[in-house]
């Protein structure tokens, strides 16, 4: 409820920063927050809007910008879980931020043994793990092999199967 959020932000004792975390398709209940209203409230209070779109962000492939994810592009940061609908290993996730310099500043490790060749972007400073496997490769391969249409078809089929299962459950005697 945007009005409750407004009241909570008015009462918040945070002179420097405020963060609002919105849901874009929760896994257990598939709830979607009204991101357009939340953005408006965040703007009134100078709050950062983060959207957890780990599961529901893929809904945009089916309904476009006017669907349940309306306003997703207004977020300051978004997280997605690629393992949910892209058929990649469990730990493949994505963090999207509007202001890269803030992410880089918060993850920067000033150590001489981490210095690279000075290339842009400095990938070591865009995440909290300095030693990790190449999680982006399976994601990239799926996008290259199947494209938007192929991934959209996976999501569409899964939603259709979920509807059939729900209908079957409703028709079964208890």
């Amino acid at each position: 409820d945007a009005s409750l959020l407004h009241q909570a932000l008015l009462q918040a004792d945070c002179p420097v920063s405020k963060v609002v975390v919105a849901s874009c398709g929760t896994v257990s209940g598939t709830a979607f927050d009204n991101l357009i209203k939340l953005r408006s409230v965040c703007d009134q209070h100078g709050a950062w809007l983060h959207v957890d779109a780990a599961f529901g962000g893929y809904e945009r492939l089916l309904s476009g910008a006017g669907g349940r994810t309306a306003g997703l592009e207004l977020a300051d940061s978004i997280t997605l879980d690629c393992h949910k609908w892209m058929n990649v290993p469990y730990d493949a996730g994505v963090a999207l931020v509007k202001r890269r310099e803030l992410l880089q500043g918060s993850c920067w490790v000033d150590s001489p043994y981490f210095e690279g060749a000075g290339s842009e972007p400095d990938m070591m400073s865009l995440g909290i793990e300095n030693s990790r496997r190449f999680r982006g490769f399976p994601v990239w391969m799926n996008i290259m092999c199947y494209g938007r249409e192929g991934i959209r078809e996976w999501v569409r089929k899964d939603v259709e199967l979920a509807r059939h299962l729900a209908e079957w459950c409703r028709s079964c005697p208890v």
Side-chain angles (χ1 to χ4, degrees), residues 6-22:
H6 173 71
Q7 290 303 315
L9 289 171
L10 280 174
Q11 297 170 7
D13 188 18
C14 304
V16 178
S17 61
K18 298 173 185 173
V19 176
V20 172
V21 178

Side-chain angles (χ1 to χ4, degrees), residues 81-164:
D81 283 348
C82 296
H83 68 270
K84 297 230 165 69
W85 258 320
M86 291 187 70
N87 295 331
V88 297
Y90 182 74
D91 60 349
V94 174
L96 304 170
V97 295
K98 280 191 176 176
R99 296 185 55 199
R100 182 177 141 198
E101 73 278 4
L102 293 177
L103 177 65
Q104 193 163 2
S106 66
C107 296
W108 178 261
V109 178
D110 189 20
S111 183
Y113 55 85
F114 281 148
E115 289 190 29
S119 63
E120 273 294 316
D122 175 12
M123 297 306 223
M124 292 292 285
S125 298
L126 296 178
I128 58 174
E129 295 179 14
N130 290 322
S131 178
R132 60 189 175 268
R133 65 181 184 80
F134 189 20
R135 292 181 182 107
F137 186 67
V139 175
W140 180 82
M141 286 297 295
N142 268 340
I143 292 170
M144 291 296 102
C145 290
Y146 300 102
R148 181 184 299 184
E149 292 304 317
I151 298 166
R152 177 184 290 137
E153 186 60 18
W154 291 339
V155 175
R156 189 198 62 71
K157 283 182 181 177
D158 284 353
V159 169
E160 187 174 326
L161 287 172
R163 284 189 182 124
H164 286 304

Side-chain angles (χ1 to χ4, degrees), residues 33-41 49 65 70-74:
D33 286 324
N34 185 325
L35 302 177
I36 295 171
K37 284 184 179 179
L38 294 182
R39 174 77 267 165
S40 176
V41 173
L49 177 60
L72 183 62
E73 67 283 355
L74 303 174

